[in-house]
């Protein structure tokens, strides 16, 4: 028996197993009877020629004998190779039982670093300033229902990190061998095996909660000391080497510290800077979150095929390079699109308004939402008077969030404007239906962003309306502020993953400025664990 991986089999929505078998046979120039079995190992949707939407799949095919022709889109699988079961990376089979590590932050980067280190036999203390995920949900509920913010327990701080309350996207553009391993570990902890097949996999908040609880149990079973509601107050440094951390609940010494604090830990960045950790500003993006009826997005993307059971709710990803008098071209793009989801308040500081999007596994909600943001570059910050220091971007974020809070009328109500009103630069005082909690206040969002950001946003939205006919509609609302797209700060590190000038400190993930999503952050945490295990392996 020969096993072959055949890529790019494009099938109409009406295709069944017999159609796929014949299509594979045509690609391999063999008879359908030569195919013993086949299974789907990757699935993507091609809606470029709607309404003729197609499912494009990669298949593992079992054949009676080697075909006489093997196209460039196919290859022979090696004995033992399983496209859906990546092997454990060799470094994570090693033992490092004499190693002790403090991991700061229980988001994806921190959880996966702690996971790999604990399974290697290291002694791990995992600190999280927020609460366990089930208790964290109550604080988020109070913010949404009563407008009461807990600065230490919210959509950004707590077990699972900011990614636990999003769409749970597991798609990443980074090319790293650990990507498949991260997905496999999610499956180990209860995620559906389909995430190994889908080209754009996602979990949804409801599934992520269960997965993270199982990860916690696994970490505890491997001896990890997991301390919630414990904020790092500073590093323990001796002879230019980090030897532990000082926290709100005492000191913890270790051979190394993995710093995975997340993109909103502004107070932590300030403490690190005061201790001499090298920080630098980095570009990021700000803007709004747009909400459309999901049925409208389905119709725009899929045409007459909208609603077909093989498709599910439609997504989109939009990008445009707007003309800009200051920097030549400024990128405007959609960010973290959540089909069938909700817009939620994501503030971490009192009297600052931030929004984000989330959805559950079925993505069955009435609305679709996505961030629509414009690039902020370092030269913008210097030109506009925010300075050139590491916290210039934080200053802009904070200013916009405080203005949005005031414009919304307080209580973490979001200032909202119809998309068509924003395009016409005219506030009508009315908004489209929405379920945003704790409340939506009609407002003129042109009062929030400076002209150097409003102008490219308008150009970008016009371009999106041309590529997605119907996108610019009075049925859509814009919500402020989408300001936490990525960290505006980077903790400078070397090729060895350690902070420049401070051995023993491993800054990782989104907060450190080296990742942008659940999977990329998890991979970055694994890279730090790899470096430590290689150094201390028996």
């Amino acid at each position: 028996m020969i096993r072959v991986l055949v890529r790019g089999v494009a099938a109409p929505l009406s295709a069944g197993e017999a159609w796929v078998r014949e299509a594979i046979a045509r690609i391999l120039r063999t008879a359908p009877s030569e195919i013993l079995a086949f299974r789907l190992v990757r699935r993507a949707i091609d809606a470029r020629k709607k309404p003729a939407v197609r499912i494009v799949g990669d298949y593992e095919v079992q054949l009676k004998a080697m075909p006489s022709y093997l196209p460039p889109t196919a290859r022979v699988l090696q004995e033992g190779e399983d496209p859906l079961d990546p092997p454990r990376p060799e470094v994570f089979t090693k033992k490092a039982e004499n190693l002790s590590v403090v991991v700061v932050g229980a988001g994806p980067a921190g959880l996966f670093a702690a996971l790999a280190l604990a399974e290697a036999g290291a002694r791990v203390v995992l600190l999280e300033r927020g609460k366990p995920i089930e208790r964290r949900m109550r604080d988020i509920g109070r913010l949404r229902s009563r407008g009461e913010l807990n600065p230490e327990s919210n959509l950004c701080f707590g077990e699972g990190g900011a990614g636990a309350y999003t769409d749970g996207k597991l798609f990443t553009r980074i090319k790293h061998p650990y990507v498949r391993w991260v997905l496999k570990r999610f499956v180990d902890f209860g995620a559906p095996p389909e995430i190994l097949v889908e080209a754009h996999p996602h979990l949804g908040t409801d599934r992520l909660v269960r997965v993270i609880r199982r990860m916690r149990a696994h970490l505890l079973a491997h001896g990890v000391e997991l301390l919630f509601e414990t904020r790092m107050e500073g590093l323990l440094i001796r002879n230019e080497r980090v030897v532990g951390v000082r926290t709100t609940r005492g000191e913890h010494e270790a051979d190394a510290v993995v710093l995975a604090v997340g993109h909103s830990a502004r107070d932590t960045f300030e403490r690190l800077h005061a201790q001499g950790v090298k920080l630098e500003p980095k570009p990021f993006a700000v803007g709004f979150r747009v909400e459309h009826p999901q049925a409208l997005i389905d119709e725009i993307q899929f045409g007459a095929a909208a609603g077909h059971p093989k498709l599910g709710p439609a997504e989109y990803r939009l990008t445009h390079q707007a003309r800009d008098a200051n920097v030549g071209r400024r990128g405007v793009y959609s960010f973290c699109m959540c089909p069938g989801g909700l817009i939620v308040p994501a503030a971490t500081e009192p009297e600052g308004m931030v929004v984000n999007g989330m959805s559950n596994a079925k993505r069955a909600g009435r609305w679709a939402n996505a961030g629509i943001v414009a690039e902020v570059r370092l030269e913008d910050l210097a030109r506009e008077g925010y300075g050139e220091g590491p916290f210039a971007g934080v200053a802009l974020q904070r200013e916009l969030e405080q203005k949005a809070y005031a414009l919304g009328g307080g209580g973490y109500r979001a200032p909202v404007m119809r998309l068509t009103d924003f395009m016409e630069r005219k506030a009508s005082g009315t908004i489209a239906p929405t379920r945003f909690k704790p409340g939506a206040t009609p407002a003129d969002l042109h009062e929030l962003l400076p002209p150097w950001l409003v102008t490219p946003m308008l150009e970008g939205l016009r371009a999106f309306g041309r590529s997605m006919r119907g996108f610019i509609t009075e049925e859509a609302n814009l919500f402020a502020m989408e300001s936490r797209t990525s960290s505006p700060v980077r903790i400078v590190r070397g090729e060895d993953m350690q902070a420049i000038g401070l051995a023993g400190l491993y800054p990782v993930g989104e907060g450190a400025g080296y990742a942008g999503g659940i999977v990329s952050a998890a991979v970055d945490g694994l890279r730090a664990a790899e470096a430590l295990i290689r150094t201390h392996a028996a």
Side-chain angles (χ1 to χ4, degrees):
M1 181 186 71
I2 300 295
R3 293 186 308 128
V4 174
L5 180 66
V6 179
R7 295 188 176 92
V9 181
L13 296 177
S14 59
E17 284 196 10
W19 190 100
V20 174
R21 180 184 291 270
E22 291 180 3
I24 293 171
R26 286 195 298 273
I27 291 170
L28 296 176
R29 298 182 186 177
T30 190
S33 59
E34 291 294 303
I35 299 174
L36 298 173
F38 61 91
R39 65 167 178 162
L40 182 67
V41 297
R42 188 179 183 277
R43 176 185 182 272
I45 296 171
D46 182 357
R48 291 173 296 178
K49 297 181 180 178
K50 52 184 172 287
V53 179
R54 303 183 300 174
I55 303 296
V56 181
D58 295 351
Y59 290 86
E60 178 188 348
V61 183
Q62 295 181 14
L63 298 158
K64 294 179 181 178
M66 176 68 75
S68 57
Y69 172 73
L70 202 62
T73 56
R75 69 175 179 86
V76 177
L77 291 168
Q78 302 300 310
E79 185 176 352
E81 181 183 356
D82 187 340
L84 294 183
D85 189 12
R88 177 185 289 270
E90 183 271 338
V91 66
F92 297 135
T93 65
K94 299 179 181 295
K95 291 298 178 184
E97 295 172 342
N98 293 323
L99 171 64
S100 61
V101 182
V102 173
V103 178
V104 183
L111 286 171
F112 273 83
L115 175 68
L117 290 165
E119 290 180 340
R123 299 184 302 282
V124 179
V125 176
L126 176 56
L127 308 176
E128 170 54 54
R129 69 187 295 170
K131 298 179 181 180
I133 197 162
E134 57 271 34
R135 290 175 54 205
R136 178 185 176 195
M137 291 174 69
R138 298 170 198 157
D139 293 318
I140 293 170
R142 278 191 285 271
L143 176 59
R144 295 190 66 216
S145 62
R146 305 176 193 172
E148 298 175 1
L149 172 68
N150 183 338
E152 297 295 324
S153 179
N154 43 63
L155 268 89
C156 291
F157 297 152
E159 186 181 24
Y165 291 95
T166 64
D167 187 50
K169 286 180 180 56
L170 302 179
F171 171 70
T172 179
R173 293 182 186 87
I174 68 168
K175 305 297 181 185
H176 195 282
Y178 291 169
V179 168
R180 297 292 293 172
W181 180 245
V182 168
L183 298 181
K184 174 63 167 56
R185 296 317 305 265
F186 275 125
V187 173
D188 292 342
F189 295 117
E194 290 78 21
I195 68 171
L196 296 169
V197 175
E198 294 295 333
H200 289 175
H202 81 285
L203 286 174
T205 289
D206 48 346
R207 282 178 178 161
L208 267 167
V209 169
R210 295 193 294 270
V211 167
I212 290 167
R213 292 180 68 175
R214 289 177 180 141
M215 287 187 75
R216 182 206 308 165
H218 184 80
L219 291 171
L220 291 172
H222 278 75
V224 174
E225 185 179 357
L226 185 48
L227 301 178
F228 291 108
E229 298 179 77
T230 305
R231 187 176 64 247
M232 187 189 82
E233 295 284 84
L235 301 170
L236 301 178
I237 303 173
R238 296 185 195 135
N239 300 321
E240 298 185 344
R241 183 177 185 88
V242 173
V243 295
V245 297
R246 177 170 45 84
T247 79
T248 50
R249 295 170 60 180
E251 295 184 351
H252 297 270
E253 295 197 6
D255 297 317
V257 172
V258 174
L259 195 63
V261 294
H263 61 42
S264 293
R266 294 167 173 172
D267 53 353
T268 302
F269 298 144
E270 290 167 356
R271 293 188 186 99
L272 293 169
H273 184 58
Q275 285 196 275
V277 177
K278 187 178 171 114
L279 307 180
E280 64 183 16
K282 63 175 280 294
F284 58 106
V286 297
F288 306 124
R289 187 154 281 265
V290 66
E291 183 178 70
H292 289 82
Q294 180 64 53
L296 174 63
I297 299 300
D298 292 345
E299 182 180 350
I300 292 172
Q301 294 295 78
F302 296 147
H308 193 284
K310 287 186 179 181
L311 294 178
E315 302 178 63
Y316 60 81
R317 185 170 68 87
L318 301 166
T319 184
H320 177 73
Q321 288 294 316
R323 295 180 300 275
D324 190 282
N326 294 308
V327 295
R329 292 282 177 177
R330 189 181 302 277
V332 181
Y333 57 92
S334 62
F335 172 81
C336 185
M337 195 268 159
C338 297
L342 294 171
I343 297 178
V344 289
T348 60
E349 295 181 342
E351 299 188 359
M353 188 62 207
V354 184
V355 292
N356 198 358
M358 65 163 283
S359 57
N360 287 327
K362 292 184 178 179
R363 293 173 160 178
R366 178 179 169 186
W367 284 280
N369 68 79
I372 302 293
V373 296
E375 290 179 328
V376 176
R377 302 186 187 179
L378 301 186
E379 54 263 47
D380 296 321
L381 299 172
R383 184 189 65 249
E384 298 298 322
Y386 296 97
E388 299 179 353
F391 302 115
V394 172
L396 173 61
Q397 285 180 327
R398 188 173 277 144
E399 177 184 296
L400 294 175
E401 291 163 12
Q402 291 174 353
K403 287 173 66 176
Y405 182 87
L407 193 60
Y412 299 95
R413 294 186 296 273
V416 179
M417 190 177 193
R418 284 186 192 266
L419 178 54
T420 46
D421 287 351
F422 182 79
M423 301 303 296
E424 294 169 5
R425 296 179 179 263
K426 181 180 178 180
S428 67
T430 66
I431 59 175
T434 180
R435 289 182 58 195
F436 180 83
K437 297 178 181 179
T441 302
D444 186 353
L445 298 188
H446 287 273
E447 297 178 13
L448 277 179
L449 290 183
W452 58 274
L453 285 173
V454 167
T455 300
M457 285 278 288
L458 287 168
E459 182 182 326
L461 284 164
R462 284 192 288 269
F464 300 160
R466 290 191 295 270
S467 61
M468 288 182 64
R469 299 291 182 183
F471 187 86
I472 306 298
T473 171
E474 64 177 11
E475 295 182 81
N477 288 320
L478 292 175
F479 292 72
M481 285 297 305
E482 178 71 69
S483 52
R484 307 286 181 91
T485 54
S486 66
S487 178
V489 175
R490 178 178 288 115
I491 304 174
V492 185
R493 73 186 186 195
E495 293 295 323
D496 61 359
M497 302 289 290
Q498 297 182 73
I500 297 296
L502 274 179
L505 180 64
Y506 293 75
V508 297
E510 286 202 43
Y514 295 97
I518 292 173
V519 172
S520 63
V523 167
D524 209 47
L526 288 175
R527 291 182 61 212
E530 173 191 5
L532 283 163
I533 291 168
R534 288 194 187 281
T535 303
H536 293 83

